[in-house]
Every structure is written in C-alpha cells, then in structure tokens.
C-alpha cells in the first residue's frame, strides 16, 4: 500500500527537508535528514510546522505581488510553497502512525489539520490562481506545461472559481474531513483486540510461533496484529479458535467508527455535490486513469465476471476438503477459508507451508529484497548507523548508484503499540532535480529477526519495497508537482504489484531463501510445489479484491443515509461464492483502513494489477533478473514520476497500450 495524504493535502504534495521552524531551502542539497524531525519533541515538531506555514504564506504574498512578466519567479515561488507544505504534511502523516509518543502523534495530527486548512485556503485563493493562470504555458517545456495544467485543474476542482459563500463552505468541509479521516484511522490503529485461548486450541501452530507465545495458566494471548492473526487463521486446528480471532479482527474500531464513517461519507458527498459532481466517486475518479466512476464500475464488473468460474472452482475444492472433516458440509465459513486452503495446497499440491516458512527468516528475506533490487537496478545500499530516527527498531539505508547518492530509506518493520497496523510506504521528502534527494519509509508489521515469515508476507515485503523504489527513482524532475510518486492514483500500485512477482520465481528465490537452521537453499521441488499451489485460490483471492473495490465505490457513489453494513452485505452477496469479510454480528467496514486514504478508489489495486501483469510479460520473456529490461523499466516508468500521463509511461515501456489480456491469461491459468 502506498500511504496517501488526506484529500485536502493533495494539492500541496511535494518536497524538501524541514528542521525546527526554519526555512530549510538552504538544506536542499544535503543528505536527507527528514527522520530527525520525527525523533525530536512534540513542541519542536509543532514549531517547525508553524514555521513552514508562515513561510508558505509569505511566499504566496510575494508571488501575488510580482509584476507581469515574472513567470519564472512565479513558478519558483509556488513550487517552494507546495514543496515545504507537502513535505511537512508527509512527515506529519508518518509521525502520527509511527511515533511511540502519544503527545507527538497528537502534534502530528494537529499539524496535518493546520496544513490542510492552509492548503484549502490557498486552493481557494483567486489571486494565487490568477497569477498562475497568467503564466505563458508555451514558454515551458512539455513537463512544465503538464505540471501547470494539472495545477490549474486542481484549483478549479477545489472551487477557486466559485462565489465567496461556496468557497467558505468548501473550506469548512475540508477541515472536517481531515479530522474525520484522522479519527477513522486512529480508531483502527489503537484498537488491538486480544483473544485468550487454551493451549490445546492452538494445536497446529508452528513450533517457533508457540515458542514465542509462552502460555500463562494454560492460556495464550493472541492479538489481531498480523504476526499473530495470519498463522492462527492458517494453522490452528480449532474452528472455535479461528472463529474467535476472525470475529475479533472484524470488531476493531467498533463502535468508535460507526458515527465516524457515517460522517466521513456524508461530508464527502456534501463536498462533491457542492462542487458540482453527482457524488464523491464522480469527483475523486475524475483525475485518475479511469476519468469517471462509470469506467471504474465497469472495470469492477468486468473483474467480477472474469473471476467467477475460477472462484467457483476454488470454493468447490475448499468445500470438498472440508467434507473430509465435516461430512455433509454445505458451506465454507469465512474463518475456515485460509485453513482449508492451506490443507488443499498441502494435500493436492504437496506444499507444506510450515516447511516453506523455514526458508523465510526475516533477516534473510530483508537481505534478499535488497540484494535482488540492487542487482536489478544497478544500485547499492549502505547502512546509516547514526541516523536520528523515531524508534530503535528503525533501520536507515542510503541508496547509491556508483558513488552517487540517490536517496534515503527507513525500515520500520515490526509491531508495537500505537503503531500503524498494516503495511505501507510513506513518503518523507520527494526528490527534485538539483534541489532535494528523496526520502521515504516502509512501515510494516512483520516478525522480527530470527523469526519466520509466511510466503504471503514475503510477497508483501517485495510489494511495499516496489513503492519505496518508485519514491527514490522518481525524484528526478525539475518541479515538485510532477516529481516522486505523482502519477494518477490508480497507477500508484503498479510498481508494487509488479515487484511482488519476484518471490514467485525460482531463480530469484534461490538467491535468498535459505533454511534458517541448515542454511540449505530452498529445494527445486519445494519451489515447484509453491508455484503450483500458488495457482490455487487465485480465483477467490482476486474476487476478494474486486469485492473490496466494489464496497469502496458503493459507499461513495450514492447519497448518504444508507446503512454501510447493508451495502456491505449486498455487495458480498453479489460476489458469491465469495464470503470472507462479513458475517452477522461483525463490522468489517469499520476496520477497512483504505476507506480513509483511498476512499472510493480501492479498485486501484486491481487496475494496477492488470497493468503490472502486462509489464511482467517483458521480464518473463528475458528473465526476472535481466538488468537490461529492469533499466528500461526504471528509466521509462519509474524515473518519469508524474511527468506524463500514466498510460503514456506504460506505452513508452511496452511499445503499445496496455491491455487486459495478460491479466485474463493469468486468471485462466495460462
């Protein structure tokens, strides 16, 4: 997942490095040090945030006072504004999710609110808009002209050309939306559920997992954090234990988010209709590759139809396996899905996932991800041991090409209280050519060094690292507004969806998958078993993604006042034989964190997967570790950032427009 800023901060997403309330434009060529801001005090963070806002306002006033004919100065000042406010917003967004200090997290949320208010204020500033609109676009190169076109479009979408009363209402609604989004995410982040289970109810769990969870009075505490949740759902033989944990997971943020979600959906609809759109889905899709909600809806329906046959086949196999344990069974319950999927893979495809785990010790996987991407893209990683960071768990690495420093990354990879509960990449500093080096962070919840990972977690690691490399490689443009990950949102997941294909390749796995005790390289037979078994469940798993896409869109393509639980059930029924996320008495939608950042456009993941599968054909043809193809991909897709429309980037690489064909072939098992 690429972590996205609240909607009100989008116009100001940009770059540089900020320290203790000063204008840090003088620091632009120095080594990235954004993380040091997150290791200080809450008071210092607030002071820095306030300083950025003061400087931004001053730059805007200076810009508006310039006489005609100062186009270069107008653009430079505006780029500085979006640069410093965007960076500050990115760091606040990261800090509120990772800081171990509650007061610091509150300071970050407060900064986000101030920056959002500023962003809306500036987006509704007619004088600022007029100054930018007067810039002679013909004097700009194609990238600069594209940036200015997108900038002016966002001003108009914000309501800059509306009457004063409308602009005031837009401002108030945006401020409310930021607070609601923060509350929605915080309620999920802070609500870690726990289930006390008898030791015997966890029969089937791997020995290393049990050793890390010592019993007390015959009970083991299992949390809804991923390193607990995932193995329990896959391996626990007790149906009762799995159901208890499954339900606990889907009770997170209940009842806290009931009213929050209702208000979030209502305010989004009110803002969209105020700006002249039919609903929020229509508003938010306008600037995406889809261009409108109808295209997104048609795409989801196409995916639903495309996955039907294979999903039915998957569910039939799961039910047949369940009947061996429960004769006469007529359905597979949601908390049984992963358990029986693992059984089918073991018994029908010969894959022992517990044996497979032994080859994925966290430290070896991390090293593998870095070694493989270094070879692919011709880069190297250098550990920075003295970097100021927000928690002792965080590792800092600099990326080099030869002796040239490309940027800095931070890895915050293990669970703790008060921390973001999923896996995401966060920007910190978007690189700008000649001014700033890019900086970003991975925030995950993986096992620690010495502990073992599920193969699905290995895929997630590669996925998130794809976002991180995109952040670093894309920081090469002249203007902040098109540098870094500034592509259309429904293209954002393409680099991550593509890179997660690498740990399914035998040649790739053999470079890092070593037995954690014997250090034996993963055997060919086990790799083949993994690849064959991976084909099972594709129908249901892909259908699940289209189901979530439909939920996301359906919550936003209608007027408020509906019961979210009823819509969730309606969509789930349409996606039968899929039944995995909701059952009576649960509230999945309240813990569906993507409803904050992604709002109506969760379809992004499958839209991006379609494109990624097409890009993958180029690597498959010449080898997954082929540096020539990787370099071409890096230059034509990743480094381009947001300098062109995403469809053009893909065509540059493929030599043709992308198509649905490779995705359909994958679904068909070809």
């Amino acid at each position: 997942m690429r972590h996205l800023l609240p909607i009100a901060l989008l116009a100001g997403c940009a770059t540089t490095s900020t320290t203790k309330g000063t204008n840090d434009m003088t620091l632009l060529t120095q080594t990235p040090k954004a993380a040091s801001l997150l290791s200080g005090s809450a008071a210092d963070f607030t002071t820095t945030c306030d300083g950025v806002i003061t400087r931004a306002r001053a730059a805007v006033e200076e810009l508006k006072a310039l006489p005609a004919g100062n186009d270069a100065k107008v653009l430079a000042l505006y780029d500085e504004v979006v640069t410093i406010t965007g960076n500050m917003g990115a760091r606040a967004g990261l800090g509120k999710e990772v800081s171990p200090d509650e007061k610091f997290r509150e300071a970050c949320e407060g900064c986000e609110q101030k920056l959002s208010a500023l962003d809306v204020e500036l987006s509704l500033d007619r004088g600022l808009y007029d100054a930018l609109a007067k810039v002679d676009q013909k004097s700009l190169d194609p990238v600069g002209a594209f940036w200015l076109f997108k900038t002016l479009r966002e001003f108009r979408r914000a309501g800059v050309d509306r009457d004063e009363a409308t602009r005031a209402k837009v401002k108030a609604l945006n401020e409310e939306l930021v607070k609601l989004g923060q509350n929605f995410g915080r309620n999920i982040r802070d609500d870690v559920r726990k289930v006390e289970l008898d030791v015997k109810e966890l029969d089937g769990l791997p020995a290393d997992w049990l050793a890390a969870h010592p019993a007390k009075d015959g009970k083991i505490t299992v949390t809804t954090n991923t390193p607990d949740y995932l193995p329990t759902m896959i391996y626990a033989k007790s149906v009762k234990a799995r159901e208890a944990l499954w339900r606990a997971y889907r009770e997170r943020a209940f009842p806290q988010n009931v009213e929050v979600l209702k208000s979030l959906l209502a305010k989004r609809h009110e803002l969209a209709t105020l700006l002249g759109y039919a609903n929020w889905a229509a508003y938010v899709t306008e600037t995406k590759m889809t261009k409108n909600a109808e295209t997104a809806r048609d795409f989801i329906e196409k995916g639903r139809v495309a996955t039907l046959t294979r999903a039915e086949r998957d569910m039939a196999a799961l039910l047949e396996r369940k009947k061996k344990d429960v004769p006469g069974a007529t359905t597979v319950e949601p908390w049984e899905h992963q358990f029986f999927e693992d059984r089918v893979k073991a018994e029908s495809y010969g894959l022992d996932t517990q044996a497979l785990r032994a080859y994925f010790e966290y430290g070896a996987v991390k090293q593998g991800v870095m070694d493989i991407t270094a070879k692919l893209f011709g880069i190297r990683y250098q550990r920075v041991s003295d970097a100021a960071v927000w928690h002792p768990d965080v590792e800092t690495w600099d990326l080099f090409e030869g002796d040239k420093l490309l940027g800095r990354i931070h890895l915050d990879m293990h669970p703790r209280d008060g921390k973001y509960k999923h896996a995401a990449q966060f920007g910190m500093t978007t690189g700008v050519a000649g001014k700033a080096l890019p900086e970003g962070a991975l925030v995950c919840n993986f096992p620690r060094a010495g502990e073992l990972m599920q193969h699905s977690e290995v895929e997630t690691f590669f996925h998130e690292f794809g976002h991180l490399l995109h952040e670093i490689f894309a920081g090469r443009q002249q203007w902040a507004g098109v540098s870094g990950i500034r592509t259309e949102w429904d293209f954002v997941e393409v680099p991550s969806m593509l890179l997660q294909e690498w740990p399914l390749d035998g040649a790739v796995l053999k470079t890092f998958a070593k037995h954690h005790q014997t250090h034996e390289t993963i055997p060919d037979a086990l790799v083949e078993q993994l690849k064959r078994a991976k084909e099972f469940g594709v129908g249901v798993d892909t259908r699940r993604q289209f189901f979530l896409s439909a939920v996301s869109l359906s919550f936003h393509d209608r007027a408020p006042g509906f019961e979210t639980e009823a819509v969730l059930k309606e969509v789930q029924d349409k996606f039968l034989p899929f039944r995995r996320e909701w059952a009576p008495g649960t509230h999945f939608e309240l813990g569906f964190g993507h409803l904050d950042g992604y709002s109506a456009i969760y379809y992004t993941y499958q839209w991006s997967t379609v494109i990624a599968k097409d890009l993958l054909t180029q690597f498959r043809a010449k080898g997954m570790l082929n540096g020539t193809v990787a370099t071409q991909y890096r230059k034509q897709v990743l480094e381009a950032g947001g300098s062109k429309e995403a469809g053009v980037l893909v065509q540059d690489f493929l030599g043709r427009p992308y198509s649905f064909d490779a995705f359909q072939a994958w679904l068909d098992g070809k």
Side-chain angles (χ1 to χ4, degrees), residues 94 107 128 135 142-143 148 181 193 211 237 304-305 328 343-344 349 362 417 466 477 498 515 517 537 550 634 668:
L94 173 61
L128 175 58
V135 171
V143 173
L148 186 57
R193 299 290 172 114
K237 294 179 181 179
R304 187 187 72 84
V305 172
R343 295 297 82 220
V344 170
Y349 297 89
Y362 168 78
D417 290 343
Q477 301 300 321
L498 180 60
H515 195 282
Q517 293 175 328
R634 171 184 163 184
D668 294 341

Side-chain angles (χ1 to χ4, degrees), residues 178 219 256 267 346 374 377 483 587 596 667:
V178 169
K219 300 277 189 180
Q256 306 95 299
K267 296 299 180 183
F377 297 111
S483 201
H587 304 86
D596 176 19
L667 281 177

